[in-house]
Each structure stands twice: as structure tokens, then as C-alpha cells.
Amino acid sequence: MRMMLKVLIPTDAGNDAVKDGSLAKLFGETIRKLNAEASYFVAQDGLRCALIFFDMKESSELPAIAEPLFMGLNAEIEVIPAMNADDLKKGLGAPKSV
């Protein structure tokens, strides 16, 4: 299932990670490991934020995804199911269940 991984990085932890080079390394490893379909980097509520879209086959993959971000960046994360336009079109065309 296509998922969106949202990563919010506290300012102090992000500053330290930029200075020591670990931010770029950790995101590079994460994007590669997830075989990400797309990744975007934005500011949200004044914090560094990454949005990474990837395919997750099993929920048991979550700890391996989350722990490096928790431990390396003190990050807050959300993992949210996501659809592209084709998925939405397919879903809207599906029979309605009550």
C-alpha cells in the first residue's frame, strides 16, 4: 500500500544534524531503503519537514522505518495511507458498500 511518511524534526536536533552531516545521510539512507516513489522537503509550523511516499507491504516494516528517525533526529513521524490520481479514480469507480 502506498504510504506517506511525514517527518517533523525539532529545530535543535535538526540544526545539529545539518552541522554534523547526519541529516543528509539519514534521509538518503531512508529514501533508498524505502525505494521511495517521491520525497519532498518543506517547512511546517516553523520546523523542517519531510514527506516521503513509498510502498509498505506489511505493518511490521514500521519499526525499521521509524526508529532511525526517532533516534537520529528526535523526530515526530506519521505514516498515512496515500493515493495517487489513478488510485482515487479506481476507488471512486468501485461498487458502493453499505
Side-chain angles (χ1 to χ4, degrees):
M1 175 179 288
R2 180 179 290 107
M3 305 296 279
M4 180 184 78
L5 171 64
K6 179 177 165 184
V7 184
L8 284 172
I9 305 163
T11 302
D12 290 340
N15 289 346
D16 291 343
V18 168
K19 289 175 189 173
D20 71 15
S22 62
L23 184 80
K25 181 180 177 187
L26 183 55
F27 276 117
E29 290 172 357
T30 300
I31 290 165
R32 181 187 49 74
K33 179 172 61 175
L34 295 176
N35 193 26
E37 177 181 321
S39 56
Y40 301 93
F41 302 90
V42 300
Q44 181 178 323
D45 300 326
L47 298 175
R48 291 174 180 95
C49 179
L51 304 171
I52 303 171
F53 296 85
F54 69 102
D55 185 52
M56 186 164 72
K57 292 170 183 48
E58 296 183 26
S59 58
S60 62
E61 298 172 44
L62 195 53
I65 295 167
E67 289 303 329
L69 299 166
F70 289 146
M71 297 190 63
L73 298 172
N74 197 29
E76 292 182 28
I77 70 161
E78 289 183 66
V79 181
I80 305 161
M83 294 182 287
N84 63 20
D86 291 336
D87 297 331
L88 179 61
K89 189 175 180 180
K90 181 178 176 182
L92 292 174
K96 309 291 185 261
S97 61
V98 185

